[in-house]
Amino acid sequence: MERRRRRTDSLSDDEDDDRGRKRRRIATDGVDIEDRLESLITRVGEKSTSSLESNLEGLASVLEADIPNYKHQIMKILCQCVVSLPEKLTVYTTLVGLLNAKNYNCGGEFIEMLVRNLKEALKTGEFENARMMVRFLSDLVNCHVLVAASLLQMFDSFVEVTLEDNIPQVRSDIYVYLVLSALPWVGRELFEKKENELNSMLVTIENYLSKRQKVHLPALRVWLNEGPHLQEEYLDCLWAQIKNLRSNRWNEKQIMRPYLAFDGVLCDALQHTLPQIIPPSHNKSMVYPLPRVVFRLFDYTDVPQGTVLPGSHAIERYLIEEQINRIINTHHLERKDCAVALLGYPAKNKIPLNYMIVEVMFGQLFELPRAPYLELFYGATFIELCKIQPSSMPEVLAQASEMLFDRLDTMHSVCIERFVHWFSYHLSNFQYKWSWEDWAECVNMDPNAPKSKFVREVLLKCLRFSYYQRVVESVPESFASLLPPDPKPFYKYEQEGAGSLAGTMHAHKLISSIRSKCTPEEAAQLLKDLPNVYPNGQENENPSFNPLKIDVFFSTLLHLGSKSISHSFAALAKFHPNLKSLAEFEDGKICLLKVLYETWKNNQQIMVVLVDKLLRTEVVECSSVANWLFSFEMQHDFTSFYVWEIMHSTIKKMSRHVDQLQLDVDNAHDKQEAAKRKEADGLDAGEDDVPSDEAIERMEEKLEAATSAQKNLFLVIFQRFIIVLTEHLARCESAGVDYNTPWYKWVIERLQQVFLMHHELVFRYINTLEQLLFTSDIDIHILEVFQQFCALRS
Amino acid sequence: MSKRKLPSGSVALSQYRDQHFRSTDSKNTTLRGNRTEQEKLLLLSTTLYIGNLSFYTSEAQIHELFSRAGDVKRIVMGLDKVQKTPCGFCFVEYYTRADAENAMRYINGTRLDDRIIRTDWDAGFKEGRQYGRGKTGGQVRDEYRTDFDEARGGYGKMLATKIRRTSDVS
């Protein structure tokens, strides 16, 4: 949607003569009229020098005049505004109300179009759009466009979904949510006109809500226990808020209702009856929105005096959160506009807006399974907010960071990771200034304790953004033990005492050959006579790979390319054939990755980047990376964040690969069918780029192979998880100690993360996983994670 | 409303056009033809030009920031033509357009190594473009600058020469 900054087109008093001329000129050209209409309609309700009421009145008259010629276009633009600009919902309902009062048929046609869109959205699973349309229709009752009874009928048919048999809970949830989230707008009107019907609907909803299963709740919680704030499931929380609203006789204090000013005009308008809207019946392919948990960080004691933070069960809290969420949704592609719109929130009462913005944004950032938008969006928008309000926003963010840090012990690992990402990024934009002394407690903690881990990982990320000396200088000296190592490579064949190593002589020869630009064949020739032993001299009985050769060759290559990422890439590219042949089989590939670790263990970033390169150039496979990360050698780093960064980027690459192949197959099929249709119509099919049956078959084989590799990858990962966790649990049991150690928390939550982060994929293989791995004989703590995951869609 | 043809907002093309751009199509020699092709490439590009870097900012630092917007394919550091040292710009290439757009949206105008950096669409890296185009080998802007910018070699090259001459005389 175009959002031009220029104000020259607005309906405010600052119009000048020039604009009048322009309008006439454009009027001869239909296309431009449409653009103008769109601009007028989409911008009403933005800041303006004249009142909203007069702007609305003016716009309604303009549209009334254009309706004879541009009715369809106007209706379409209005319907688009319903879903694209829901933060201005009541502005548009008022506009529709005014149009309906002037032209009854026009109101009817708008309803017809919106209802058609709503039915389509329900059928195609666009539930968020549907929710906005339902809310819009509800508010049209307030504007005297719709008859209250007919809206209640729609609500009833939605609530009836809760009585259906054999449907997943997420289906009935969403239909109840559609109704509940519209009630703050229309509750009062329904209460006044149809109290009994409203109450009996609410009874049905209450019955439903009291019987819901909530197995999934632990998988979605940001905090593991009920810390200072209750962590409620979204429907439970909204229900509590609605009950409060009801006990206040459906009066709320947040929604701006411009139609009240037009009561006189609207009262006289004729109302329409909403046609019957029956939810499309359930089918297996329908994906319903996942349940959520409401994130809360602040309560009224945290905010400055003079402003009131509505309690967690006040409907106002929901309405403000909802409005902030809508603004973010509308503006997330333009961080600057987003920040301006957030701070321009037209709060009717004095609310601590900055606190609410920060809470909602962190709520989104920490949302499980995934944040709605790119994590970077939140960081970049926080920076814009700080720029606009340099005297208050940084303070609120600092307070929030302190509070999050204080509660780290019970925070979900995945959220801690996102917190680390954001915090390091934020520091990198503010000269790494932070009152680290306040966090000195973590210096003496167990390295796996969440607070200690948090600070270490933040410093590691700061190191990536800056350089070693900078990080050392930005923290107090007492933090020395938390600092990352100097990120230099390690090359054993040039260390003191390297002379006694089996590969040193060859390594040195290789260095000078590569420096004098030898070919890959020459390099391979040089290593030909190295015995099949481990670098420490121990015999290797596995003929599928030669660990000494791999070690000498790869560590030397990495050493020579260690100057920068580009140098490393160039080295890998030139000697790609050597790497392929040295690591032809799985054991060789894992051996190669271990050499990478030995060389670069002090520089996690380069490890991440190079594993990515090795995967993309098909030197190693996804499953080799997974097996390597679970190997004995990596145990020491197993709870380090970079290990999981590699793991998830590996899974992602695998899935992109599968998606691409799927797309290729689909496109090929489409092309072939199009050609066949053309042929049937007696047209020239244009044979050159129509794929043959054999070509398609080959593509399908490739896809099948990739899909089975993907399935195998998940099997490897989950199986290894089960092994390490079972070992830990058994060890603790036999030693009679508590299994719930910091290490255990990291690992079990990493298991949860694999499920959550890739939930669409994992769901594809859920039956296999249930039959092969997550069987009833594994430990209940591990099985629980699987069951919670399954419950997300049931 | 949904009929947006050209990218707008923070992913829109800027006014700047690389004057050295040459079409790869030998038949396409007119200035206008060149411009149209350049624009076409810019609209599909997955490569960004990054400016106002410190001379001391490393490839790895750039990688860390830009990989927050998506998977980075490669980074080409801008080098001084004569000294072959970083001279304050680079190209970042992504695997997909969508990721490059996110970098335009969320990184342009934020800080890297304590400097506000600028991102712009680039028609795609070609050999030779990694070098500064200033007379002395660096970027043109560093020839004429009159401010003192420690992270970009102090004063602008012309001013620096003048200062050196004056101090030689005295």
Side-chain angles (χ1 to χ4, degrees), chain A residues 393-586:
Chain A
M393 208 41 140
E395 222 169 283
V396 180
L397 271 180
Q399 189 181 340
S401 306
E402 290 287 355
M403 293 171 81
L404 291 170
F405 180 81
D406 281 341
R407 297 171 195 174
L408 275 176
D409 285 343
T410 61
M411 198 180 203
H412 197 292
S413 306
V414 179
C415 301
I416 296 182
E417 187 172 65
R418 293 185 199 166
F419 183 27
V420 166
H421 284 170
W422 167 73
F423 193 68
S424 56
Y425 168 81
H426 195 74
L427 288 182
S428 81
N429 267 274
F430 291 90
Q431 288 118 45
Y432 301 98
K433 282 186 191 138
W434 186 251
S435 41
W436 295 103
E437 276 86 0
D438 297 349
W439 292 354
E441 51 172 313
C442 50
V443 173
N444 300 316
M445 284 181 182
D446 173 349
N448 265 328
K451 285 181 181 169
S452 166
K453 186 69 126 191
F454 173 80
V455 172
R456 280 165 209 273
E457 292 288 343
V458 165
L459 295 177
L460 274 161
K461 285 284 178 188
C462 290
L463 176 65
R464 292 194 193 184
F465 274 127
S466 59
Y467 46 95
Y468 187 64
Q469 204 49 37
R470 183 78 210 256
V471 177
V472 171
E473 282 163 11
S474 57
V475 294
E477 274 174 35
S478 61
F479 275 50
S481 63
L482 300 171
L483 282 170
D486 196 355
K488 289 197 171 109
F490 171 81
Y491 182 58
K492 65 168 164 287
Y493 296 110
E494 279 188 352
Q495 299 289 309
E496 220 171 293
S500 62
L501 295 173
T504 304
M505 217 172 65
H506 286 81
H508 290 180
K509 264 195 244 163
L510 190 62
I511 293 179
S512 59
S513 302
I514 292 179
R515 283 208 173 121
S516 51
K517 310 222 179 315
C518 72
T519 65
E521 295 80 22
E522 285 161 354
Q525 199 61 31
L526 213 94
L527 303 179
K528 205 179 58 176
D529 54 341
L530 277 175
N532 191 2
V533 294
Y534 281 93
N536 62 11
Q538 189 198 329
E539 200 80 22
N540 174 33
E541 277 151 22
N542 184 341
S544 77
F545 75 112
N546 182 326
L548 184 59
K549 257 194 202 177
I550 293 177
D551 190 68
V552 169
F553 185 78
F554 196 41
S555 67
T556 304
L557 199 61
L558 291 172
H559 168 65
L560 291 173
S562 64
K563 197 176 161 200
S564 75
I565 295 174
S566 286
H567 286 82
S568 303
F569 281 3
L572 294 189
K574 180 170 177 189
F575 294 100
H576 184 253
N578 305 59
L579 296 174
K580 283 285 268 191
S581 76
L582 284 171
E584 198 181 343
F585 302 104
E586 180 78 354

Side-chain angles (χ1 to χ4, degrees), chain A residues 266-285:
Chain A
L266 297 175
C267 251
D268 295 337
L270 284 172
Q271 286 156 289
H272 303 265
T273 303
L274 196 59
Q276 212 177 23
I277 300 171
I278 295 175
S281 48
H282 175 63
N283 65 67
K284 279 213 172 77
S285 60

Side-chain angles (χ1 to χ4, degrees), chain A residues 658-696:
Chain A
V658 172
D659 291 347
Q660 186 56 50
L661 293 175
Q662 181 72 55
L663 198 70
D664 293 348
V665 168
D666 293 348
N667 283 345
H669 276 298
D670 287 352
K671 264 188 192 163
Q672 204 180 39
E673 270 160 38
K676 274 182 190 152
R677 266 199 310 276
K678 267 189 180 171
E679 214 167 14
D681 294 346
L683 294 164
D684 180 20
E687 270 157 50
D688 39 9
D689 62 342
V690 179
S692 65
D693 286 340
E694 299 86 67
I696 292 187

Side-chain angles (χ1 to χ4, degrees), chain A residues 21 38 84 161 198 372 433 478 560 607 681:
Chain A
R21 277 205 303 281
E38 181 184 318
S84 304
V161 173
L198 174 65
K433 282 186 191 138
S478 61
L560 291 173
M607 258 198 282
D681 294 346

